[in-house]
């Protein structure tokens, strides 16, 4: 066979391995219990072709291809949503998405290069296998933690569909689940390779160590998950309960509606719809708290920009005063020409006055909500007219909400994108939060897997902090999430409904994620550096000693 034919065959084999892993990861990421087990072998096809690479160039190609395939498999909906938002041609959106994929999934490249290097510089032995496997897994997790990502995706999130396996996230977050998954996949590949090379009789003995590691890790994950699930579920005999009403009006694309109807009529329609749905809830049940979604009031509250805005502000205050129910809703907050995406709380206070407090969103989606000041310019605004003007809030905060009957609760407020950052939510939990409340606007992703993926992130934040969560969106998926990550109640996508939720407030359950934050990523980065540099340092020390002697 010619050299060109050999290269073509190797490329075809590489793409086949990448496609196999991408397909398994797509099944694993579907959040269906049937496909949870696919995660334990999902990387095997790619690892198999990766270990056949004969050069660093081929290794990098394998990493780049895997990053692109991974993003396409899990986020193939994003280019369409980007086109809908920006108006750019779909082909341009796909091109930008694929070009950026290797940078957003840099862990595939660094992992591939680490594995290539160690397999060629480490003497073949059982100890060498464990060094390659552990170092590679740490490099993967460390790189994933430090590299820029739009959606904070990691392999371990696929375990959300397993009641037991997802509970391990309270130790080291979803990165901890990823670390275990990468190690197990490497062990599965090694056991299979040994069996194929040496036959069943001899191979079984040689494959015993990696096979035992697979069994031990899987059993420990299941065992810990069952223990933790039962422990948390037992504590869910609540010391108190909250009755929380949520409104999902399914009114979307405010800008388009404003162009057709005028902004005044749009705000009028939005508020009237929320008043009506809220009144239906209040007629049937006494509520401790009423929640409307992100930017439901699409203008500044408290600092009106017009007479009409002042009238709307007064209406909302009158609604709260008349119903005597505290309201948390999404709006804009203005301070000295700096505008923030905010969650505003209004509650009946002393002497008939309303108490007001606000939380300002900090983690803004790049470009669409926020542009760094160093990049902001008239040229950029003209080229990308859909870029946002909001400013960043002060960081993780809690809100003390005064409820009826003299009761109070401390909540961890989150707005949309913030729910994908485990360290951010852990900091709010560390400040004494008893409940997570997330306001979101997912309308740009309606009808896509993004809605389930965003809900999945929210569920992991409840597991990591062991706090219940009320999630309210304008068009779906609104939900009540338990401290074990179970969705107890929900309003599906593209539905208009109001829902009363009974939220149990249980005793605080300590977790390592709350105590240490998102600790595994930086730890993995440091440990992988030590493991990679230690042999080189030892070799140089021995060389100096040999010269001096």
């Amino acid at each position: 066979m010619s050299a060109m034919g050999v290269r073509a065959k190797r490329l075809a084999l590489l793409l086949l391995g990448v496609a196999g892993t991408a397909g398994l990861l797509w099944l694993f990421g579907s959040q269906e219990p049937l496909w949870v087990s696919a995660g334990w072998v999902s990387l095997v096809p790619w690892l198999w072709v990766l270990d056949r690479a004969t050069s660093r160039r081929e290794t990098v190609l394998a990493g780049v291809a895997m990053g692109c395939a991974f993003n396409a498999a899990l986020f193939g909906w994003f280019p369409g949503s980007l086109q809908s938002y920006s108006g750019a041609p779909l082909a341009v959106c796909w091109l930008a998405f694929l070009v950026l994929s290797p940078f957003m999934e840099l862990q595939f490249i660094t992992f591939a290069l680490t594995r290539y290097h160690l397999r060629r510089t480490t003497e073949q032995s059982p100890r060498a296998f464990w060094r390659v496997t552990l170092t590679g897994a740490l490099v993967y997790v460390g790189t994933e933690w430090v590299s820029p990502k739009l959606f904070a995706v990691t392999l371990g999130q696929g375990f959300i569909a397993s009641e037991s396996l997802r509970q391990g996230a309270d130790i080291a977050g979803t990165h901890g689940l990823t670390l275990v998954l990468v190690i197990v996949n490497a062990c599965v590949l090694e056991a299979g390779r040994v069996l194929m090379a040496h036959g069943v009789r001899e191979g079984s003995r040689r494959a015993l160590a990696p096979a035992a590691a697979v069994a031990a890790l899987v059993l420990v994950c299941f065992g810990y998950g069952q223990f933790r699930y039962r422990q948390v579920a037992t504590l869910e005999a609540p010391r108190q309960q909250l009755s929380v009403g949520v409104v999902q009006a399914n009114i979307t694309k405010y800008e388009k509606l404003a162009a057709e109807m005028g902004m005044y009529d749009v705000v009028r329609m939005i508020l009237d719809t929320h008043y009506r749905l809220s009144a239906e809830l209040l007629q049937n049940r006494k509520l401790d708290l009423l929640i409307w979604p992100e930017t439901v009031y699409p203008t500044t509250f408290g600092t009106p920009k017009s007479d009409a805005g002042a009238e709307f502000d007064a209406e909302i205050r009158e609604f709260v005063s008349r119903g005597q129910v505290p309201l948390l809703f999404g709006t804009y907050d203005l301070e000295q020409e700096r505008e923030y995406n905010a969650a505003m709380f209004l509650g009946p206070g002393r002497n008939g006055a309303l108490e007001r407090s606000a939380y300002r969103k900090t983690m803004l989606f790049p470009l669409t909500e926020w542009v760094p000041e160093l990049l902001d310019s008239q040229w950029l605004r003209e080229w990308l007219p859909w870029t946002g003007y909001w400013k960043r809030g002060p960081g993780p905060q809690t809100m003390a909400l005064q409820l009826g009957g003299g009761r109070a609760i401390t909540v961890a407020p989150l707005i949309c994108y913030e729910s994908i950052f485990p360290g951010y939510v852990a900091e709010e939990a560390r400040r004494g939060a008893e409940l997570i409340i997330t306001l979101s606007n997912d309308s740009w992703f309606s009808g896509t897997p993004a809605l389930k993926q965003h809900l999945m992130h929210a569920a992991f934040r409840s597991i990591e902090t062991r706090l219940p969560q009320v999630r309210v969106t304008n068009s779906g998926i609104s939900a009540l999430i338990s401290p074990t990550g179970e969705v107890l109640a929900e309003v599906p996508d593209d539905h208009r409904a109001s829902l009363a939720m009974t939220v149990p407030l249980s005793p605080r359950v300590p977790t390592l994620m709350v105590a240490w934050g998102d600790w595994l990523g930086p730890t993995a980065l440091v440990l992988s550096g030590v493991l990679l540099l230690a042999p080189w340092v030892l070799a140089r020390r021995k060389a100096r000693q040999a010269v001096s002697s």
Side-chain angles (χ1 to χ4, degrees):
M1 184 180 294
S2 66
M4 184 176 294
V6 171
R7 286 196 296 270
K9 183 178 179 180
R10 295 185 65 82
L11 178 61
L13 190 64
L14 185 152
L15 295 178
L16 185 63
V18 167
T21 286
L24 288 170
L25 289 175
W26 178 78
L27 292 173
F28 181 50
S30 66
Q31 301 185 36
E32 297 295 334
L34 177 65
W35 298 112
V36 168
S37 58
W40 299 118
V41 296
S42 56
L43 296 177
V44 169
W46 180 63
L47 290 175
W48 182 68
V49 298
L50 177 63
D51 288 348
R52 296 169 66 90
T54 58
S55 66
R56 286 186 176 83
R57 183 177 180 180
E58 191 175 339
T59 300
V60 171
L61 178 61
V64 169
M66 193 63 251
C68 292
F70 176 80
N71 264 358
L74 270 69
F75 301 110
W77 49 265
F78 184 71
S81 297
L82 182 60
Q83 180 202 29
S84 176
Y85 187 89
S86 67
L90 182 60
V92 172
C93 295
W94 264 106
L95 179 62
F97 176 72
L98 292 176
V99 167
L100 291 175
S101 288
F103 300 98
M104 291 189 291
E105 307 303 333
L106 190 61
Q107 70 276 3
F108 287 110
I109 299 175
T110 58
F111 172 85
L113 286 171
T114 299
R115 191 171 174 89
Y116 176 86
H117 169 72
L118 292 178
R119 283 174 57 82
R120 281 155 181 77
T121 58
T122 307
E123 295 181 3
Q124 295 298 315
S125 68
R127 182 181 299 178
F129 164 74
W130 295 113
R131 178 173 176 241
V132 171
T133 298
L134 181 59
T135 305
L138 290 170
V139 166
Y140 187 101
V141 170
T143 305
E144 191 172 57
W145 175 79
V146 77
S147 60
K149 291 182 179 294
L150 289 178
F151 305 106
V153 66
T154 186
L155 299 175
Q157 291 165 348
F159 286 134
I160 191 64
S162 170
E163 180 181 88
S164 297
L165 293 173
R166 68 182 182 229
Q167 305 305 323
D170 69 355
I171 298 175
T174 51
H175 286 306
L177 301 179
T178 296
L179 183 73
V180 173
L181 191 146
V182 173
I183 293 173
V184 167
N185 271 268
C187 290
V188 169
L189 175 66
E190 181 66 13
R193 180 159 39 209
V194 169
L195 286 172
M196 290 180 64
H198 299 279
V200 176
R201 178 175 295 181
E202 176 65 17
S204 297
R205 183 181 64 82
R206 294 179 178 233
L208 183 59
V214 170
L217 286 171
V218 173
L219 288 174
V220 166
C221 288
F222 270 106
Y224 176 82
Q226 279 293 302
F227 163 76
R228 200 62 161 155
Y229 179 86
R230 291 172 183 171
Q231 181 189 40
V232 175
T234 300
L235 293 174
E236 284 182 356
R239 53 182 171 84
Q240 61 174 319
Q241 293 180 334
L242 289 182
S243 181
V244 177
V246 303
V247 175
Q248 180 176 299
N250 201 30
I251 301 174
T252 62
K253 299 183 179 178
Y254 293 171
E255 294 83 359
K256 181 180 179 181
L257 291 174
E260 296 171 353
M261 303 169 55
M263 193 61 189
Y264 177 90
D265 289 337
V266 171
V267 177
R268 176 79 277 158
M269 176 187 66
I270 292 170
L271 289 179
D272 286 346
T273 303
H274 283 80
Y275 292 149
R276 177 174 57 80
L277 292 172
S278 300
E280 292 174 1
L281 279 178
L282 293 168
Q283 284 176 357
N284 301 319
R285 185 168 178 177
K286 179 176 175 56
L287 298 177
D288 295 308
L289 179 64
L290 180 64
I291 309 177
W292 295 350
E294 179 189 13
T295 61
V296 65
Y297 184 50
T299 184
T300 55
F301 180 85
T303 51
K305 298 180 178 180
S306 65
D307 291 341
E311 292 174 7
F312 286 137
D313 284 8
E315 271 188 21
I316 295 174
R317 292 190 184 96
E318 173 61 24
F319 172 78
V320 174
S321 296
R322 186 174 63 252
Q324 288 295 294
V325 59
L327 173 66
L328 185 67
F329 64 101
T331 184
Y332 308 161
D333 196 21
L334 184 65
E335 182 182 10
Q336 298 178 351
E337 300 183 356
R338 296 175 69 86
E339 201 163 289
Y340 301 87
N341 185 350
M344 190 70 63
F345 174 75
L346 288 178
R350 298 175 183 177
N351 303 321
L354 289 180
E355 293 190 358
R356 170 186 161 187
S357 57
Y359 164 78
R360 294 170 174 176
K361 184 178 181 181
T362 298
M363 308 302 287
L364 301 173
F365 199 85
L367 295 183
T368 60
E369 290 188 321
W370 163 75
V371 177
E373 293 185 5
L374 290 176
L375 299 179
D376 202 354
S377 64
Q378 184 178 354
W379 173 84
L380 180 69
R381 298 286 179 180
E382 291 175 355
W383 189 51
L384 303 174
W386 39 266
T387 51
Y389 286 90
W390 281 324
K391 302 302 180 183
R392 291 166 62 92
Q397 304 287 317
T398 57
M399 296 180 75
L401 307 186
Q402 295 296 322
L403 309 178
R407 302 171 68 193
I409 183 174
T410 302
V411 305
L414 300 172
I415 299 179
C416 196
Y417 192 54
E418 291 175 330
S419 65
I420 75 172
F421 298 99
Y424 192 94
V425 184
E427 174 61 27
E428 292 188 332
R430 212 162 25 244
R431 296 184 178 204
E434 303 167 83
L435 170 69
I436 300 171
I437 296 181
T438 300
L439 310 185
S440 191
N441 178 358
D442 291 352
S443 60
W444 291 106
F445 309 123
S446 183
T448 73
L451 300 179
K452 286 182 65 177
Q453 290 174 358
H454 204 176
L455 181 63
M456 172 268 295
H457 279 287
F460 271 118
R461 301 299 84 82
S462 282
I463 293 169
E464 292 159 0
T465 59
R466 296 303 179 187
L467 293 176
Q469 180 174 175
V470 176
R471 185 173 190 269
V472 187
T473 70
N474 61 336
S475 60
I477 303 170
S478 300
L480 171 62
I481 304 171
S482 77
T484 59
E486 182 180 0
V487 177
L488 302 175
E490 69 175 81
V491 182
D493 177 34
D494 199 25
H495 280 65
R496 173 176 291 182
S498 56
L499 180 65
M501 300 175 172
T502 300
V503 182
L505 299 179
S506 305
R508 292 286 300 273
V509 178
T511 72
L512 203 58
M513 278 295 290
V514 172
W516 291 0
D518 192 12
W519 63 273
L520 181 59
T523 302
L525 202 63
V526 171
L527 285 178
S528 60
V530 170
L531 290 173
L532 286 170
L533 292 175
W536 177 77
V537 172
L538 290 174
R540 291 204 58 174
R541 180 177 296 176
K542 288 181 178 179
R544 285 198 300 267
Q545 290 175 348
V547 170
S548 61
S549 62

